[in-house]
């Protein structure tokens, strides 16, 4: 209703006031050193100044006299050789204004054309009237350079410096109290703002701003205070708050600094409320150096989205934490994050979670790190996924170790099109140390689906090696439909023998032999082998094969000596030399058995 008339009015008021402070700040002024330096070297300055003064006066006097002699000579020659020149300017009439200008002359001096000697100004009259201005002649003086007289006993010297009193401090007035008021009133909104800064035992700043309006969105209140305390160190405290129909928030922070400790804390909260979205945010940060430097941070974020127009909802939260510790002997950091979401789109419900943890520890002798990840996702009965990851590592001066683990479960179902349900796990380790190494890799997967049924698939590899024993192992297992295949290979070596083991097995039904017909006999392969006597179609058959190879080493070996020179920082092994570089190696003829 405030827009029913085009005539609007408002009131505006602004007031600012500054109250001076009687206290002053003292700043040390090191001018005493400058005074002492000047008084000790003033005589030397006078000698250099007098010498520079005499050289400057001599140079100026000589230059001026040389210029005057050349100018007088040029003027005399021109006056003697050339006569004065006169320029005649014809008369003319200025159009539109009907002004008639009579002819006039300009007489130039004989020595040049740059400066006129006499100028005869023209007369002019306005046609059709009795207004007439007569002509007149303007004579300009000739240019001459005067004689420069420089006294012989010119005295020009530096003044005497005398230190009356020593100013050891500079005083600056302290900041006073400041007050500011602002007011605005209209038919739509009224604003009031007050800001104050007081400098007393503490420095305090305060801000208050508010509004009132017929529109709820334009109503707000903002209030803030900052205080600086200078007793027993420095302490800065700040508080700020905001309230509105849709937005609310607050901020509080404190920073304290003393000779032995430093401490800080920050807390912030915020809320947003609109018809389709609600958000809550909270953040905290703390740090101190009492026993050891420590910093901790936490953040929490929650949201709720609901829109009937989009036929969708979403609700979730995110939580994050961080801790940092440090000393001269070690460094540690820990971090964790958690998040979840749950909602719906059209008629489908969905949900998901994610979590992560990470930490690192470092000192002068070792370092350790680990990372964990976990996530889930689900959409009704169509999709389901669960993933886990884990990594850990450690390194010292004598050992390096790492571990990786992975697991996943999945489910996908499309009505009438596709179906699968699987599980995957993996693990790997690695360990290194001087003259020793071990590694292990294991993979297991199961992913049956509507197209191909592979219920189980596994692989495993292991390696161990040192200066005395070496061993490597490989294991494989595959299951398809009603059959399975397994094999195992292991190779080992030590100081006494080398060993190789190979084993394999095959398991399954032989009913497919009923479908293989021998054309000559007119029977199936099952009947031809008369397998009914020893087995049946419903029984599973097994086939296992294994073998082993062993090599026993001879302790009586051959030794070869190599001449090695051992120096302070290197080893020298002499190479082989040929006496005759052009010699030719001749191989005798020989006969290959069982051939021509």
């Amino acid at each position: 209703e405030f827009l029913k008339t085009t005539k609007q009015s408002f009131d505006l008021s602004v007031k600012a006031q500054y109250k001076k402070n009687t206290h002053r700040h003292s700043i040390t002024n090191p001018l005493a050193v400058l005074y002492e330096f000047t008084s000790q070297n003033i005589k030397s300055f006078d000698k250099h100044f007098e010498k520079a003064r005499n050289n400057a006066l001599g140079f100026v006097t000589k230059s001026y006299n040389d210029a005057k002699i050349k100018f007088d000579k040029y003027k005399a020659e021109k006056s003697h050789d050339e006569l004065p020149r006169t320029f005649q300017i014809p008369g003319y009439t200025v159009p539109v204004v009907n002004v008639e200008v009579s002819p006039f002359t300009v007489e130039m001096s004989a020595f040049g054309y740059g400066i006129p000697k006499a100028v005869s100004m023209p007369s002019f009259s306005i046609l059709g009237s009795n207004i007439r201005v007569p002509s007149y002649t303007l004579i300009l003086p000739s240019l001459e350079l005067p004689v420069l007289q420089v006294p012989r006993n010119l005295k020009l010297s530096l003044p005497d410096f005398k230190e009356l009193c020593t100013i050891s401090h500079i005083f600056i007035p302290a900041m006073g109290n400041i007050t500011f008021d602002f007011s605005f009133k209209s038919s739509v909104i009224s604003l009031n703002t007050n800001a104050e800064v007081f400098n007393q035992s503490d420095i305090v700043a305060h801000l208050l701003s508010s509004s009132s309006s017929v529109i709820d969105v334009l109503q707000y209140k903002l209030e803030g205070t900052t205080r600086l305390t200078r007793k027993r160190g420095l302490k800065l405290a700040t508080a700020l708050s905001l309230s509105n129909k849709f937005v609310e928030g607050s901020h509080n922070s404190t920073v304290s600094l003393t000779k032995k400790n430093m401490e800080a804390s920050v807390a912030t909260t915020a809320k947003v409320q609109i018809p389709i979205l609600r958000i809550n945010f909270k953040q905290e940060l703390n740090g101190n150096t009492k026993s050891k430097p420590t910093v901790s941070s936490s953040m929490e974020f929650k949201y709720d989205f609901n829109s009937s127009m989009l036929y969708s909802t979403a609700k979730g939260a995110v939580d994050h934490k961080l801790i940092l510790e440090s000393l001269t002997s070690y460094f540690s950091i820990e971090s964790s994050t958690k998040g979840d979401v749950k909602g719906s789109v059209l008629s489908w419900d969905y949900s998901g979670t994610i979590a992560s943890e990470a930490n690192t520890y470092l000192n002068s002798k070792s370092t350790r790190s680990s990372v964990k990840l976990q996530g889930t996702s689900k959409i009704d009965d169509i999709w389901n996924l669960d993933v886990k990851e884990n990594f850990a590592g450690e390194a010292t001066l004598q050992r390096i170790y790492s571990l990786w683990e992975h697991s996943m479960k999945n489910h996908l179902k499309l009505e009438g099109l596709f179906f699968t349900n699987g599980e995957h796990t993996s693990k790997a380790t690695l360990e290194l140390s001087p003259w020793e190494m071990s590694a292990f890799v294991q993979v297991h997967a199961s992913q049956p689906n509507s197209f191909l049924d592979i219920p189980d698939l596994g692989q495993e590899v292991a390696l161990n090696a040192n200066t005395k024993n070496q061993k490597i192992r490989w294991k494989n297992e595959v299951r398809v439909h009603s059959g399975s295949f397994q094999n195992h290979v292991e190779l080992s070596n030590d100081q006494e023998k080398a060993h190789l083991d190979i084993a394999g097995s095959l398991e399954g039904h032989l009913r497919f032999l009923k479908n293989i017909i021998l054309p000559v006999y007119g029977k199936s392969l099952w009947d031809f082998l008369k397998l009914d006597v020893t087995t049946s179609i419903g029984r599973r058959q097994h086939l296992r094969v294994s073998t082993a190879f062993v090599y026993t080493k001879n302790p009586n070996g051959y030794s070869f000596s190599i001449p090695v020179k051992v120096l302070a920082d290197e080893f020298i092994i002499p190479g082989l030399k040929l006496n005759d570089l052009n010699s030719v190696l001749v191989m005798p003829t020989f006969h290959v058995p069982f051939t021509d």
Side-chain angles (χ1 to χ4, degrees):
E1 298 183 0
F2 57 87
L3 293 180
K4 287 184 177 180
T5 175
T6 57
K7 183 179 179 181
Q8 303 292 332
S9 62
F10 65 90
D11 295 333
L12 179 64
S13 174
V14 179
K15 181 181 179 181
Q17 182 180 1
Y18 177 76
K19 186 177 181 180
K20 297 181 180 180
N21 196 334
T22 58
H23 298 282
R24 296 182 300 172
H25 299 289
S26 177
I27 301 176
T28 305
N29 181 17
L31 292 179
V33 179
L34 179 62
Y35 294 153
E36 183 179 358
F37 176 79
T38 304
S39 61
Q40 293 177 356
N41 298 273
I42 190 65
K43 295 182 179 180
S44 176
F45 290 159
D46 288 339
K47 294 180 180 179
H48 291 290
F49 179 79
E50 291 177 358
K51 183 177 180 181
R53 177 201 61 189
N54 297 334
N55 293 336
L57 289 177
F59 176 76
V60 172
T61 303
K62 184 176 181 302
S63 300
Y64 181 84
N65 293 333
D66 293 343
K68 185 177 185 306
I69 293 173
K70 293 182 180 180
F71 181 78
D72 294 340
K73 182 179 179 182
Y74 177 80
K75 180 178 178 181
E77 292 177 354
K78 290 294 181 179
S79 300
H80 184 268
D81 297 338
E82 299 181 3
L83 296 175
R85 288 180 171 82
T86 303
F87 293 89
Q88 182 72 28
I89 307 301
Y92 56 90
T93 301
V94 180
V96 182
V97 296
N98 293 328
V99 175
E100 182 180 0
V101 181
S102 63
F104 63 94
T105 60
V106 177
E107 183 179 354
M108 305 298 296
S109 300
F111 64 88
Y113 300 98
I115 302 176
K117 182 178 181 182
V119 178
S120 178
M121 303 304 295
S123 62
F124 63 91
S125 60
I126 300 176
L127 301 178
S129 63
N130 295 325
I131 299 176
R132 179 179 177 82
V133 178
S135 62
Y136 60 91
T137 302
L138 178 64
I139 300 175
L140 301 177
S142 59
L143 180 65
E144 293 183 357
L145 294 177
V147 178
L148 181 63
Q149 300 291 337
V150 179
R152 295 181 177 273
N153 298 325
L154 179 63
K155 294 183 178 180
L156 181 63
S157 60
L158 292 176
D160 295 334
F161 292 94
K162 184 178 181 181
E163 181 184 356
L164 300 178
C165 62
T166 302
I167 302 176
S168 59
H169 293 82
I170 298 177
F171 297 94
I172 300 176
M175 183 186 69
N177 300 331
I178 303 173
T179 304
F180 175 80
D181 294 319
F182 173 82
S183 176
F184 176 84
K185 296 181 180 180
S186 68
S187 58
V188 181
I189 187 174
S190 297
L191 298 175
N192 293 290
T193 301
N194 174 260
E196 298 174 336
V197 178
F198 297 102
N199 182 15
Q200 297 175 356
S201 60
D202 298 337
I203 299 178
V204 181
H206 182 262
L207 172 66
L208 177 62
S209 179
S210 62
S211 69
S212 61
S213 173
V214 295
I215 304 175
D216 296 338
V217 180
L218 300 180
Q219 296 182 4
Y220 77 94
K221 182 179 180 181
L222 176 63
E223 185 175 3
T225 302
T226 299
R227 180 183 296 270
L228 178 62
T229 304
R230 293 167 289 183
K231 294 181 180 178
R232 292 175 297 180
L234 293 177
K235 182 179 181 180
L236 178 64
T238 303
L240 183 67
S241 64
L242 172 66
S243 61
N244 182 263
K245 181 180 179 181
F246 296 139
V247 180
E248 293 182 3
S250 64
H251 172 80
N252 293 278
S253 63
T254 303
V255 178
S256 178
L257 179 63
T258 61
K259 294 182 179 179
K260 298 182 179 180
N261 182 33
M262 181 177 67
E263 186 174 358
S265 64
V266 178
T268 304
T269 60
K271 292 183 179 180
V272 177
Q273 296 180 356
I274 58 179
I276 64 173
L277 179 63
R278 293 184 178 182
I279 297 176
N280 292 334
F281 175 79
K282 183 179 180 180
Q283 188 265 341
E284 293 183 359
L285 177 64
N286 297 289
N288 62 78
T289 59
K290 291 181 179 180
S291 58
K292 55 185 175 181
T294 304
V295 177
S296 62
S297 172
S298 64
M299 184 193 70
E300 184 178 349
F301 179 78
K302 296 181 179 180
Y303 60 93
D304 188 356
F305 174 79
N306 191 341
S307 176
S308 58
M309 297 180 60
L310 300 176
Y311 302 99
S312 61
T313 61
K315 184 178 182 180
V318 177
D319 188 5
H320 174 74
K321 294 182 180 180
L322 176 67
I323 299 177
L324 175 65
E325 296 181 1
S326 177
L327 277 178
T328 57
S329 59
Y330 77 96
F331 173 81
S332 174
I333 181 172
E334 296 180 4
S335 174
S336 64
T337 303
K338 296 180 180 180
D340 64 89
V341 61
K342 184 177 181 181
S344 63
V345 176
L346 298 179
S347 59
W348 292 347
D349 295 333
Y350 66 90
S351 62
T353 61
I354 185 172
S356 67
E357 295 182 4
N359 62 77
T360 299
Y361 179 85
L362 175 65
N363 59 21
S364 60
K365 297 181 180 180
S366 65
T367 176
R368 298 192 305 268
S369 297
S370 65
V371 178
K372 294 182 180 180
L373 298 175
Q374 182 177 358
T376 61
S377 175
K378 183 178 181 181
I379 302 177
D380 276 345
D381 295 332
I382 301 174
W383 168 262
N384 192 358
L385 178 66
D386 187 357
V387 180
K388 295 181 181 180
E389 297 281 347
N390 184 18
F391 173 80
E394 181 181 4
T396 63
L397 298 177
Q398 307 199 356
R399 179 175 177 264
I400 297 177
Y401 177 79
S402 62
L403 169 66
W404 173 72
E405 293 179 342
H406 165 80
S407 66
M408 181 182 67
K409 296 181 180 180
N410 60 78
H411 171 79
L412 177 62
K413 182 179 179 181
L414 300 177
E415 292 292 343
L417 296 176
F418 182 72
F419 169 82
T420 183
N421 186 10
E423 182 177 353
H424 305 264
T425 59
S426 302
K427 183 178 181 181
T429 61
L430 175 64
E431 183 176 0
L432 298 175
S433 60
W435 310 109
E436 186 174 356
M437 180 185 70
S438 65
F440 176 77
V441 178
Q442 184 182 43
V443 178
H444 182 271
S446 175
Q447 192 69 47
N449 54 74
S450 55
F451 295 140
L452 181 61
D453 187 10
I454 304 178
D456 194 6
L457 173 63
Q459 299 283 336
E460 183 177 321
V461 178
L463 172 64
N464 294 282
N466 53 40
T467 56
K468 296 181 179 181
N469 301 308
Q470 301 87 37
K471 180 185 293 186
I472 181 171
R473 183 180 72 253
W474 174 48
K475 184 178 180 181
N476 179 30
E477 181 178 359
V478 180
R479 293 182 182 180
V480 180
H481 297 287
S482 60
S484 65
F485 172 74
Q486 298 179 0
N487 71 296
H488 179 84
V489 179
E490 182 175 336
L491 174 63
S492 61
N493 179 45
D494 54 27
Q495 296 180 353
E496 296 181 357
K497 61 182 179 179
H499 201 282
L500 175 63
D501 293 331
I502 302 176
S505 64
L506 180 63
E507 181 180 355
H509 295 280
L510 298 180
R511 62 170 61 95
F512 66 92
L513 298 179
K514 283 283 189 179
N515 300 325
I516 301 176
I517 306 299
L518 299 176
V520 177
Y521 299 96
K523 297 180 180 181
S524 64
L525 187 58
W526 177 276
D527 296 334
F528 179 77
L529 297 176
K530 297 180 180 182
L531 296 178
D532 291 330
V533 179
T534 58
T535 185
S536 62
I537 296 177
R539 294 180 60 182
R540 297 169 64 92
Q541 306 300 320
H542 301 272
L543 176 62
R544 293 184 177 89
V545 178
S546 63
T547 183
F549 298 93
V550 179
Y551 173 73
T552 304
K553 299 180 181 179
N554 191 346
N556 299 323
Y558 300 95
S559 60
F560 297 91
S561 61
I562 301 177
V564 179
K565 294 182 180 179
V566 180
L567 301 180
D569 55 350
E570 62 180 351
F571 295 92
I572 300 178
I573 301 177
L576 300 177
K577 296 183 179 180
L578 296 178
N579 296 329
D580 187 4
L581 297 178
N582 298 325
S583 61
V584 179
L585 179 61
V586 179
M587 182 177 295
T589 58
F590 60 92
H591 176 72
V592 180
F594 306 106
T595 63
D596 295 333

